[in-house]
Amino acid sequence: MINLTKDVLIIKSGQDLERSIKEAIAKAKACVSKVLFESKHIAPSKISSGSVNEYYQASVLRFFNDHLDPVNAPVYDEDWVHNLHTCTMKTPDAKIAKQVVPKTAHDWINKSSLERLAKDSILILHFLWQEKAVLLPLDTKKPTGSHETKKKHFELAAADYTEVLALVSKPFVAHANYEHILDITTVMKPSAIKNFE
C-alpha cells in the first residue's frame, strides 16, 4: 500500500499499536547506539543538547530512557503517533513534544533538544513503518545523522531497510551490506541515477 496523503496512516490499533510503538522506540535506540557509538553504553546524563557534546546524536537514548515505565511513559496510541509525526516537521512545539516523550525527559526540552527530537522522531517513525504499524507519507525523509567518523546525512537505519528501500538505496549506501539485493544501477540510464542520490 502507498500513502499519498500528507499525514501518517495508522494500520494497527490498541495493544498491537502500543507494542509496535514500544518496539520501534527500542529499535531506534539500538540503531543509534550500534551505528554511531559502536554499541557503547551511554548514560543518559552524559547526553546534552549542545551540539559540541560528543553524545549529541544519542538524544533518542535520553528522550526515551524511560519509554517502558508505565508511570512516566505517555500513552502509546493513535494520538501519540500523530504527535510524533508532527514532531518531524522542523522544530517541534514543546507542548507537543511533552506528549511524545516520557515525563522524565520534560525538563530536558529546550530549543536545541527539540531540534534533535525532530530527527529522533523520523527514526522512530521509520521503525514504526518497519513494524507495519503505519504507512508514511511519500515526502517522509530517511532517518539521517552525522558523526565525527561518518559523513553528514549518514543514513542511520540503512542496515535495517526493507527490501524495496534497500534496492533503491544500495548503490548509494556503502556502509550497509545487502547480500541478496541486486544493484539497480546496472539497469538504469546513467542520467537517471542522480535522481536516487
Side-chain angles (χ1 to χ4, degrees), residues 30-148:
C31 176
V32 167
S33 179
K34 178 182 175 187
V35 174
L36 294 180
F37 300 99
E38 288 90 32
S39 299
K40 177 171 68 170
H41 172 73
I42 303 167
S45 60
K46 290 185 175 184
I47 304 165
S48 80
S49 59
S51 61
V52 295
N53 180 274
E54 66 179 311
Y55 301 119
Y56 174 69
Q57 298 281 331
S59 55
V60 70
L61 301 176
R62 181 160 179 181
F63 271 128
F64 294 96
N65 183 44
D66 289 334
H67 84 279
L68 296 176
D69 183 343
V71 174
N72 292 310
V75 176
Y76 296 124
D77 59 7
E78 289 84 353
D79 289 336
W80 185 90
V81 174
H82 286 292
N83 287 331
L84 182 72
H85 182 251
T86 301
C87 286
T88 66
M89 318 283 180
K90 298 191 178 184
T91 305
D93 182 77
K95 183 179 172 185
I96 292 173
K98 287 182 178 180
Q99 295 174 21
V100 171
V101 300
K103 293 174 190 167
T104 52
H106 287 191
D107 62 342
W108 194 55
I109 294 175
N110 59 44
K111 187 176 184 312
S112 293
S113 67
L114 286 171
E115 290 170 2
R116 285 298 317 149
L117 180 60
K119 291 193 173 282
D120 295 340
S121 297
I122 292 169
L123 183 62
I124 294 168
L125 276 177
H126 169 80
F127 284 111
L128 257 180
W129 169 68
Q130 198 178 64
E131 289 287 313
K132 296 178 176 37
V134 299
L135 286 177
L136 301 176
L138 287 176
D139 63 350
T140 303
K141 298 175 183 174
K142 291 186 223 175
T144 61
S146 60
H147 191 266
E148 294 168 3

Side-chain angles (χ1 to χ4, degrees), residues 16-32:
D16 285 341
L17 178 61
E18 181 181 1
R19 234 184 332 272
S20 293
I21 291 169
K22 290 176 180 177
E23 184 64 23
I25 293 169
K27 285 181 176 182
K29 290 165 59 174
C31 176
V32 167

